[in-house]
Amino acid sequence: MLRSLDVREADRLITALTPSRGKLLFTVRGARRITSRLGGHVDVLNRASLGLAQGHRYDVVTGAESLESFGGIKGDLQRLASAFYLLELTDALLPEASPHPVAYELLLSALRALDKCESSMAVRYAELRLLEDSGYLPELQRCLVCDTEVLPDKHRFAPLLGGVICDRCAVSQGTVMPLSLDALKVLRFFAREDWPAVQRLRIAPALGVELETILATAIHHVLDHELGAADFIEHLRRLRVRAGGAPSP
């Protein structure tokens, strides 16, 4: 479940990502009542099997069985914030009733990785591939201004244009960000490899921060607004620093 909204006296309107039909909205009648048999199964973040009946506007959930509840995520505030961020990002990028099986598998793989341990790599990989699945993969090979192949250490990132530019070209609108060679290599690696290969990759914390900044800026230019969960993650990071701990990448 991606999102839940309380409606009427005791009902919920849930947004669910399905493997074959994409993002759909369902009504769960009486879900907020203590006696509800459905409420706990259709919580946000749960993966569940649903029984449905045709409704006037939205199909109605008549039965539900939890398949995965991601207890490891729900027991850790940092991982929970990362998971909610991915749910919010997926919801924002995907239109309703449009099949996106790749996005479904990406989100599920990332949540399973987060459930086992806090993995910023899973979040970064999911960000890039969700952008790709929704048609917004940044250009990582050729300059978006002069269309030449970018050379090592002679490239920058132009979020408004949607990818890399060479250091010879000027951009009249939008900011241009520095992009290290290592960051470019990792982004290209993400774009061509599957999740098992990415899981074996180890990067330095500073590189992790750079990737987070680059992808967050790219996502902001696609969506044209900030995600609430992203702000919460930054708030948690600041609290951790104030408490004397190391900031997580």
Side-chain angles (χ1 to χ4, degrees):
M1 310 301 160
L2 299 178
R3 184 158 46 98
S4 176
L5 177 67
D6 292 345
V7 292
R8 297 182 180 176
E9 291 185 3
D11 298 348
R12 284 182 188 164
L13 182 65
I14 61 172
T15 303
L17 183 62
T18 69
S20 58
R21 297 172 60 192
K23 187 177 75 173
L24 299 173
L25 276 67
F26 303 118
T27 298
V28 189
R29 292 174 179 164
R32 288 151 52 208
R33 294 194 181 101
I34 297 176
T35 57
S36 173
R37 296 179 294 103
L38 301 176
H41 296 283
V42 294
D43 284 342
V44 173
L45 195 60
N46 279 11
R47 188 171 77 93
S49 175
L50 304 179
L52 302 171
Q54 187 172 2
H56 177 66
R57 185 176 180 184
Y58 304 113
D59 286 350
V60 178
V61 177
T62 58
E65 179 185 359
S66 293
L67 302 177
E68 292 180 76
S69 59
F70 303 103
I73 292 175
K74 294 175 181 177
D76 183 281
L77 187 58
Q78 187 68 44
R79 283 188 277 172
L80 185 61
S82 295
F84 277 141
Y85 166 73
L86 288 178
L87 297 183
E88 189 179 2
L89 176 61
T90 303
D91 188 20
L93 285 173
L94 301 186
E96 289 183 28
S98 175
H100 278 268
V102 172
Y104 179 89
E105 291 299 329
L106 276 170
L107 180 60
L108 184 56
S109 295
L111 292 178
R112 285 171 173 169
L114 285 171
D115 197 45
K116 294 177 181 177
C117 65
E118 184 179 338
S119 175
S120 59
M121 190 74 72
V123 178
R124 303 287 84 80
Y125 179 73
E127 284 175 323
L128 185 73
R129 299 307 290 262
L130 284 170
L131 285 173
E132 178 186 29
D133 188 61
S134 54
Y136 297 104
L137 179 69
E139 171 58 50
L140 301 172
Q141 305 293 336
R142 305 184 70 82
C143 174
L144 287 164
V145 177
C146 65
D147 195 35
T148 59
E149 184 176 0
V150 294
L151 300 175
D153 286 327
K154 297 187 180 296
H155 43 69
R156 295 167 293 159
F157 191 81
L160 186 62
L161 298 183
V164 296
I165 61 170
C166 66
D167 62 356
R168 299 185 303 274
C169 291
V171 175
S172 59
Q173 292 183 326
T175 59
V176 177
M177 305 172 63
L179 177 66
S180 71
L181 180 58
D182 285 342
L184 180 59
K185 286 180 177 179
V186 172
L187 290 172
R188 288 176 173 178
F189 183 77
F190 284 176
R192 70 174 183 267
E193 298 292 343
D194 56 14
W195 173 239
V198 172
Q199 281 182 299
R200 298 190 292 270
L201 185 64
R202 297 292 180 266
I203 64 173
L207 180 55
V209 172
E210 182 183 1
L211 291 169
E212 180 181 10
T213 302
I214 291 291
L215 287 168
T217 307
I219 289 167
H220 174 76
H221 280 273
V222 169
L223 299 179
D224 199 27
H225 69 271
E226 297 289 346
L227 297 176
D231 291 338
F232 183 57
I233 290 172
E234 181 59 28
H235 177 67
L236 289 179
R237 181 179 290 119
R238 289 172 182 167
L239 289 177
R240 180 177 293 184
V241 172
R242 288 174 188 171
S248 58

